[in-house]
Each structure stands twice: as structure tokens, then as C-alpha cells.
Amino acid sequence: MRQSQLFTKTRKEAPKDEESKNAQLLIRAGYVDKLMAGAYTFLPLGFRVFKNIENIIREEMQALGAQEILMPSLQPKENWVATGRWDALDNLFRFTSHYSKNEYALGATHEEIISPLMKDFLFSYKDMPVGVFQIQNKFRDEKRAKSGLLRGREFFMKDLYSFHANEEDMDAYYLKVKDAYIRIFERAGLGDITYFTYASGGTFSKYSHEFQTLTDAGEDIIYICDHCKVAINDEIITEQSTCPECGNADLRKEKAVEVGNIFKLKTKYSSVFGLNYKDMENAECAVIMGCYGIGLNRLMGTIVEAYHDEYGIIWPESVAPYRVHLVNLHVHNEETSAFAEEIYAALQGAGVAVLYDDRREAGIGEKLKDSDLIGIPLRAIVSEKNGAQIEVKKRKESAAHMVTKEQLLGLLAANN
Ligand code: ATP
Ligand code: MG
């Protein structure tokens, strides 16, 4: 992509009302635009990051054998009244049609939709287990939406629901989802700072589990057991002050953000909607369910909170919008520009995703600043003084070195 063609521009300042670091950086670098508190547009660069995150999650869901669907955001009141959540869920957006006077909710989650949906398809124990997921926008009337992409009023969630004929089967599936989640956060670059965290299971199960990523921007507090590399959240620490795995009482208190959670619903929703199946003796039983969420916007915001410096974002390779930022510092020098064009063509030919700063009106200082702000993992500088050499530098490192065009291509082919 030629930066001269990118319609978005970097900005020196984020909007005054934007308090969060993740949104400040993402807005300044041109990844997102703020419509209002809790609602952001993904701009071309941000949409590429979003798609990378989405692909990681989708691949891991497919590896589980889960099947993808897409449910409506517009939902009838009746489904929410049935579970009591029309009144109980504080952050549910509710409204009335001007014509029919019917009342609707905007989907905050989809248990109320998927449970009756599956009644059309699940009849026998032979129809299970089955996992169904979607990657879809959710609406929540959040009281405070000041954490940028960490807490939106509209945001994307991957929600997976699983259906089982008995609890052992749900328990086994739950563990497989846990492993898939560990892989997702590892692949997204957050493996080292994300903790499997014990949370309250509600009235249905002893525990549910959250995946909590360490960051000062987080709104949650977790207590880490350094022996087991797990944590417990605020709800659990009020009931027990020791590690649920080893009993260690020496827990480390940290700020964190919940990037995902997994929950055993058992028959909570199936019993409300009469989602039943016939067991081996032909007896009618309520389907056992699990639900599993990951917030995509929140994941993007968390990565930015975890990986930035005073100059800008430092994307992990796996989610970066481009692999290489090719920067031509002397666009007006014909030889330098011809060389830059040659490298751009070669990288594209090799299938390397590259952002090419070919802007004619931007100065040297501006180009270097913008490159740091945008945070692509590898910067490759072409300039008058470098001649036929290219100065490469990793965004996360300070040392630069010179390579030839062939070496640059070799370098990128090597860690493909
Ligand atoms: P929180 O405790 O942070 O409010 P939650 O427990 O209500 O979140 P869930 O209903 O379990 O969240 O949603 C599943 C996932 O969706 C969360 O783990 C989180 O990653 C994401 N998520 C929840 N609320 C938001 C939001 N307002 N903005 C962005 N992501 C969100
Ligand atoms: Mg929570």
C-alpha cells in the first residue's frame, strides 16, 4: 500500500475527550476514528489489524470443530423477558418501534437467541456435542466508556456456545476451549502476560474462568499465584485467599483486563426455552450448555496498552497491519526513488505485506515519527546517503543495520 494513497493521516493530538492510551495512539496513528464515547470506526490500517485478530480466533475455533454462524443484533423483547434479563441486565439497549410499538433489544450477548434457535436442530443425544460460534457486534449501554477500545458500547465479540448431552462431555469441551484460548492469546502476542483466572461460577458451577491480561489500563484486579501461573479475581478473593490449585497464600496483586471468559451454563438457558433432547432411554432431558467469549476490540486495545512506547505502537508480528514499513526519505531524488520503487515491487512480488511511504510532501522527521507511531514491526529506510543499501530496524529494537535488497528479501522469507 502506498502511503500517499492512504486516505487517513496521522495526527499530532488525539481528541481532547479521549483519556485512554490505546485509543489515543490508535486515533493518532490513523487506525480508528472516534464517533462518540464507546463507538469507534476501524479505518484501513485498523481494519487490517482487526482482520488479523479475527483470523487467529476463527482458525482456533475451526480447529475445535466449531461451526460459524451469524445471528441478528435486532432481537425481540420476548426472548429477553423469558430469561428475566430484559429487566435484570442493566446495560441492555432496549427500544420501541415507532410503527408497531413492539419492543426490541440490541444484542448484548446471544444466549437468548441461540438457545431457542438450537431447538430446531437438536433432538437426540446423537446430535451432540456441537459447538457454534459467531464473530459479531454486541451492544452494551456501558455506564462508563472511557477505556477506549477496552470498553465499547458497540464492539465485536467472538461468542461460542457448546451443547452437550451430559456434564462430563461439557467439562471435556471446556478444557479444549481453554487450550484454544491459550493459543489465541499466545498467537496475538499476549501469552506471557495473560493469566488463566478463577472467577465466580454464578449459582451453576463452582468457578468460571477469565483470561486476564496484565496492564495498568485494566479495570480488574487479579491475584496471581507465581507457582501455578494462574490467578483468582476479586470475586474469588473475598471467598478464599489462596490459590485454588496449590493452596499458596502468597498471591501477587496486579491490575488486568479481562480479554476472554469461559462459562459452564449447564441448563440455565436450555431449561427456560425448552431446549431438550432424548437420551439413550428415550427420556427427555435439558441440553447442557457452555458459553465462551472473546472481545476483539478489547483484544486490539489491550495489545496497544501492552506494547507501546513514548513514540507509538509496537505491534506483534502476528497482528501488525503490514510486516514492513518501507520509507523513502528522499522522494525527490530520482535514483533513490527508483530504488525504493524496485524494493516495493520486489516485496509485493514476494507476497510481503508492505506499507510504502512514498509521500512527496512529508519531511524526513515527519516520516520517521509517523513510522514509529504506526508501529509496523520492521522499518526499511531508503535514502540518498544509503545508496543501494537499505537501513533496517525492528520497531521494538533500537539498533539499525544495513542490508542489500537481496538480504532484505532473504530476511523476510526466512521468518515467514
Ligand atoms: P466486563 O466484566 O469487562 O464488563 P463481561 O464480564 O461483561 O466484561 P462478557 O459478557 O463475559 O464480559 O463478554 C465476553 C468478552 O467480551 C469479555 O471477556 C471481553 O473480552 C469482551 N467485552 C465485554 N464487554 C465489553 C465491552 N464493553 N467492550 C469491549 N469488549 C467487551
Ligand atoms: Mg467479567
Side-chain angles (χ1 to χ4, degrees):
M1 176 81 200
R2 287 174 186 275
Q3 214 167 324
S4 60
Q5 303 297 305
L6 195 62
F7 76 81
T8 59
K9 307 281 177 280
T10 59
R11 303 164 49 156
K12 286 211 173 62
E13 312 275 346
K16 295 233 158 22
D17 64 343
E18 186 57 73
E19 297 174 18
S20 79
K21 195 74 207 175
N22 68 83
Q24 284 177 0
L25 285 171
L26 288 165
I27 291 169
R28 284 185 49 216
Y31 286 89
V32 305
D33 183 73
K34 184 175 188 173
L35 175 62
M36 58 183 173
Y40 296 87
T41 297
F42 287 117
L43 296 167
L45 289 177
F47 197 50
R48 289 180 69 96
V49 176
F50 178 83
K51 286 283 167 192
N52 289 338
I53 291 173
E54 187 184 32
N55 283 341
I56 291 173
I57 296 174
R58 179 174 287 117
E59 278 175 22
E60 295 297 339
M61 290 299 108
Q62 287 171 345
L64 272 175
Q67 300 171 49
E68 186 166 5
I69 64 169
L70 188 55
M71 290 179 273
S73 293
L74 186 63
Q75 306 174 354
K77 175 182 181 179
E78 295 69 45
N79 295 43
W80 288 88
V81 170
T83 60
R85 292 210 285 188
W86 178 262
D87 293 315
L89 214 61
D90 292 337
N91 60 17
L92 188 68
F93 275 111
R94 313 166 182 87
F95 63 98
T96 308
S97 161
H98 294 296
Y99 304 109
S100 63
K101 306 297 172 210
N102 286 340
E103 291 179 273
Y104 300 94
L106 287 178
T109 174
H110 278 71
E111 286 85 4
E112 275 79 356
I113 310 306
I114 196 149
S115 308
L117 165 73
M118 293 309 275
K119 272 179 78 165
D120 291 342
F121 305 102
L122 300 182
F123 302 105
S124 147
Y125 68 96
K126 291 180 194 153
D127 297 327
M128 294 176 281
V130 61
V132 181
F133 77 101
Q134 62 172 353
I135 296 171
Q136 192 254 11
N137 45 350
K138 300 283 185 268
F139 298 84
R140 293 185 183 184
D141 195 0
E142 301 278 4
K143 202 169 181 186
R144 284 190 315 279
K146 293 189 170 176
S147 300
L149 274 75
L150 302 186
R151 187 171 296 286
R153 296 200 164 102
E154 176 177 356
F155 61 95
F156 281 83
M157 192 199 287
K158 182 285 299 166
D159 41 333
L160 165 70
Y161 305 88
S162 69
F163 303 87
H164 310 272
N166 58 61
E167 284 198 20
E168 297 72 55
D169 195 55
M170 173 190 64
D171 291 345
Y173 196 89
Y174 190 86
L175 290 178
K176 285 208 292 185
V177 178
K178 172 190 170 183
D179 289 341
Y181 272 38
I182 291 171
R183 280 194 297 276
I184 288 168
F185 299 122
E186 251 166 29
R187 288 180 63 183
L190 296 173
D192 294 342
I193 51 170
T194 299
Y195 286 85
F196 182 68
T197 302
Y198 288 74
S200 160
T203 44
F204 298 91
S205 192
K206 181 150 190 223
Y207 297 116
S208 67
H209 297 92
E210 299 169 343
F211 287 79
Q212 292 274 0
T213 304
L214 300 186
T215 165
D216 280 341
E219 297 173 9
D220 295 353
I221 302 283
I222 61 166
Y223 303 82
I224 298 169
C225 170
D226 283 312
H227 301 306
C228 304
K229 303 260 181 285
V230 300
I232 59 180
N233 78 2
D234 255 347
E235 305 158 335
I236 301 296
I237 198 100
T238 57
E239 294 158 24
Q240 74 175 75
S241 55
T242 59
C243 171
E245 296 193 0
C246 73
N248 169 25
D250 183 22
L251 304 179
R252 180 159 58 89
K253 187 174 170 184
E254 295 283 359
K255 282 178 92 173
V257 58
E258 177 195 319
V259 285
N261 79 7
I262 58 179
F263 211 96
K264 295 176 183 177
L265 295 170
K266 300 196 177 170
T267 59
K268 180 174 177 181
Y269 294 97
S270 52
S271 59
V272 171
F273 291 102
L275 173 60
N276 298 330
Y277 71 97
K278 291 233 164 67
D279 72 7
M280 277 162 132
E281 276 84 49
N282 223 26
E284 188 130 316
C285 315
V287 167
I288 314 277
M289 290 172 61
C291 73
Y292 320 84
I294 295 181
L296 280 77
N297 307 46
R298 184 175 289 188
L299 192 52
M300 189 188 300
T302 302
I303 293 168
V304 175
E305 292 289 348
Y307 304 117
H308 71 265
D309 61 15
E310 60 192 295
Y311 307 111
I313 302 170
I314 308 172
W315 291 111
E317 289 266 347
S318 59
V319 301
Y322 294 94
R323 282 183 75 199
V324 180
H325 197 182
L326 175 63
V327 183
N328 180 356
L329 291 185
H330 297 107
V331 192
H332 300 284
N333 179 320
E334 273 180 34
E335 239 174 278
T336 308
S337 284
F339 186 48
E341 292 289 332
E342 192 185 313
I343 298 165
Y344 180 52
L347 288 172
Q348 286 201 307
V352 175
V354 51
L355 180 65
Y356 171 29
D357 192 349
D358 62 338
R359 292 176 299 167
R360 301 190 75 80
E361 68 293 352
I364 292 177
E366 189 181 349
K367 288 191 171 189
L368 296 176
K369 269 201 186 121
D370 282 352
S371 184
D372 279 346
L373 180 61
I374 293 169
I376 291 168
L378 192 72
R379 185 182 75 189
I381 293 180
V382 175
S383 74
E384 270 171 10
K385 133 175 149 297
N386 293 347
Q389 296 273 301
I390 307 154
E391 184 194 295
V392 298
K393 186 183 96 58
K394 286 191 177 156
R395 177 63 181 85
K396 64 179 177 202
E397 292 171 5
S398 53
H401 62 281
M402 293 295 181
V403 296
T404 63
K405 186 180 104 185
E406 288 69 30
Q407 285 170 327
L408 176 63
L409 286 164
L411 191 87
L412 290 161
N415 29 24
N416 213 340

